Amino acid sequence: MRAARGETVLLRVRNGLPEATSLHWHGMRLPAAMDGGPHQPIEPGHTWLPTWRIDQPAATLWYHPHPHGRTTRHLYRGVAGLFVVDDPTTGPDELPHRYGVDDIPVIVQDKRFHADNRLDESGPTMSGAGPVGDTISVNGTLTPYFDVTTEHVRLRLLNASSTRVYRFGLDDDRPFALVATDGGLLAEPCRTNRVQLSPGERAEIVVAPEPGQRLVLRSHPPRLGLDPWNRRFAGGDDTLDILQLRAANHLKPSAPLPERLADVPRPDTSAVAATRTFSLSGNQINGREMDMARIDFAVTRDTTEIWEITADDGAPHNFHVHDAQFQVLTIGGAPPPESLRGWKDTVHTPPNTPVRLALRFHDHTDWRTPYMYHCHLLQHEDQGLMGQFVILEPGDRLGGAHTGHAD
């Protein structure tokens, strides 16, 4: 799906499954009642009609099911797609932008199959990491390739797997340009030969193959910071071919990449409204499992907060926040690498390493309907590693009966 900033969208989502589900717009800033999380279930045979006005910079967002306790199963079966937001007023024209020509979605999922080709939905024995497959699909296609016809090709990478972390690079280790992350364009291209994405994260890279060349986009063993046992069962030792790029013998010219991509202002942290800490351990955040009837806290519209997330249990985790985009301030007390200095909504959390974020909350206030924050390794989310917050008007507060319940 594709829409431009300033447009109002109306989507018709019909559930033809024999069980309830939902459809979440991951990375989108929108009213909580339109978010598509576990509080907006669609019953079998019913239709949901979310509508909102697009008001955020150009970015590669995506959609996936978010039913309470069953997200892993629904996403693993393939319900995932891009929701590209365009912004006609910003962004350089020199970036490849022709869909299907030099601007290509790359939705990556891993699968495991039984001998009769049915999906194997089990996770690794002796591990709580969740399903880790040995077969890669891109846009639902096995052994995929793309015929490159231009000097530059823009790949919109999405890790749509439930568990596996990918560390993307080309098979000849040539550098490419990282131009965008979850929330949109970076300030300037980042030249690198690796980009690591945990489940739910996105990145846009620009690759320059040579005429007649066949390149392979590959996932190299990711840097997870885990012990050998947890690393192995999370797929941390694996090298996987993702997508073959087949360049034509004669490539159409592409404009040189601009040195400046976008203005990426740093959030003002001189006067934050609150500083919060989150400990991820087992199936709990700060010692509590997810409770659909409990609001964990409220934030105030038009404020900035600092959140510090630490994964304490030695297991693989990451952290995703609904509605809000954030910037990474520090990882283990050090500034983030250049590849993590743009706007994000999902971030890997290495074991025992505090990840400090600055979040800005905008105009979608609703004391009745919460947003989620959770680990996006989806089996962890399904088992309770998730919490809820609401956005309030300045001066309002949750109190009395509202402290523990959405209404």
Side-chain angles (χ1 to χ4, degrees):
M1 293 187 289
R2 197 158 199 160
R5 190 173 194 173
E7 289 186 328
T8 296
V9 298
L10 171 64
L11 300 173
R12 184 179 182 89
V13 186
R14 178 171 174 80
N15 181 13
L17 300 175
E19 59 183 86
T21 190
S22 70
L23 205 61
H24 166 55
W25 320 108
H26 183 125
M28 191 74 73
R29 282 172 37 194
L30 76 177
M34 307 298 166
D35 188 49
H39 288 278
Q40 292 85 43
I42 312 169
E43 296 299 327
H46 287 230
T47 298
W48 181 48
L49 299 171
T51 182
W52 70 94
R53 183 176 180 271
I54 305 287
D55 187 17
Q56 62 191 101
T60 298
L61 312 181
W62 67 298
Y63 59 87
H64 63 83
H66 210 308
H68 185 50
R70 302 189 312 282
T71 299
T72 305
R73 181 169 181 259
H74 286 220
L75 181 64
Y76 188 69
R77 293 184 173 208
V79 185
L82 294 191
F83 196 137
V84 176
V85 172
D86 296 312
D87 188 345
T89 65
T90 61
D93 292 335
E94 295 89 342
L95 278 179
H97 59 272
R98 292 172 294 170
Y99 176 81
V101 178
D102 57 6
D103 186 351
I104 311 301
V106 183
I107 303 169
V108 183
Q109 289 191 309
D110 58 335
K111 311 289 183 185
R112 185 180 296 276
F113 295 94
H114 293 290
D116 61 358
N117 288 329
R118 290 182 300 112
L119 278 174
D120 181 350
E121 299 180 53
S122 63
T125 305
M126 304 292 290
S127 170
V132 177
D134 54 9
T135 301
I136 297 298
S137 73
V138 172
N139 304 344
T141 301
L142 304 182
T143 60
Y145 66 91
F146 177 70
D147 290 324
V148 178
T149 60
T150 55
E151 290 178 338
H152 293 168
V153 61
R154 179 184 191 173
L155 304 179
R156 296 179 184 258
L157 306 177
L158 161 63
N159 182 350
S161 293
S162 61
T163 304
R164 184 182 287 279
V165 177
Y166 301 97
R167 190 163 175 253
F168 294 104
L170 296 167
D171 59 337
D172 64 355
D173 278 336
R174 70 173 57 201
F176 49 80
L178 174 67
V179 297
T181 53
D182 301 347
L185 294 171
L186 300 176
E188 56 192 28
C190 172
R191 299 292 293 180
T192 183
N193 65 354
R194 297 286 187 274
V195 59
Q196 181 164 302
L197 299 181
S198 64
E201 289 186 281
R202 289 88 65 208
E204 299 176 30
I205 65 173
V206 176
V207 178
E210 298 170 7
Q213 187 177 37
R214 293 195 174 187
L215 286 174
V216 175
L217 179 68
R218 179 169 289 165
S219 177
H220 301 265
R223 295 175 176 174
L224 303 179
L226 301 172
D227 63 76
W229 177 271
N230 280 296
R231 185 180 69 239
R232 175 188 175 191
F233 285 111
D237 295 334
D238 298 342
T239 298
L240 300 162
D241 286 354
I242 305 298
L243 171 67
Q244 187 183 70
L245 300 173
R246 301 178 178 179
N249 291 329
H250 301 284
L251 298 175
K252 296 177 181 178
S254 299
L257 286 182
E259 295 183 1
R260 189 73 179 173
L261 297 172
D263 291 328
V264 185
R266 300 293 291 174
D268 182 5
T269 58
S270 61
V272 298
T275 298
R276 306 181 193 274
T277 58
F278 300 83
S279 169
L280 314 184
S281 183
N283 299 323
Q284 299 179 334
I285 299 179
N286 293 341
R288 297 198 291 186
E289 292 186 5
M290 168 66 175
D291 182 344
M292 288 278 284
R294 185 188 70 236
I295 303 298
D296 292 282
F297 56 87
V299 304
T300 302
R301 175 178 60 83
D302 290 334
T303 62
T304 297
E305 294 193 358
I306 291 179
W307 293 10
E308 186 172 285
I309 299 94
T310 307
D312 292 327
D313 60 358
H317 293 296
N318 70 1
F319 195 78
H320 168 55
V321 185
H322 288 212
D323 184 66
Q325 294 284 338
F326 55 74
Q327 288 193 13
V328 180
L329 299 177
T330 58
I331 300 176
E338 189 177 353
S339 60
L340 291 179
R341 294 182 185 176
W343 288 102
K344 298 278 293 172
D345 55 60
T346 308
V347 65
H348 177 235
T349 52
N352 305 308
T353 305
V355 179
R356 199 166 175 85
L357 313 175
L359 302 90
R360 181 73 182 173
F361 299 95
H362 294 275
D363 54 352
H364 298 123
T365 60
D366 184 347
W367 66 268
R368 295 177 180 272
T369 310
Y371 296 104
M372 310 292 116
Y373 56 91
H374 58 86
C375 178
H376 217 283
L377 276 71
L378 296 180
Q379 183 161 295
H380 296 171
E381 170 197 321
D382 287 342
Q383 293 175 341
L385 201 63
M386 182 160 63
Q388 305 186 113
F389 69 97
V390 293
I391 302 179
L392 302 180
E393 292 287 345
D396 289 351
R397 60 182 296 273
L398 287 178
H402 297 155
T403 301
H405 299 277
D407 54 30

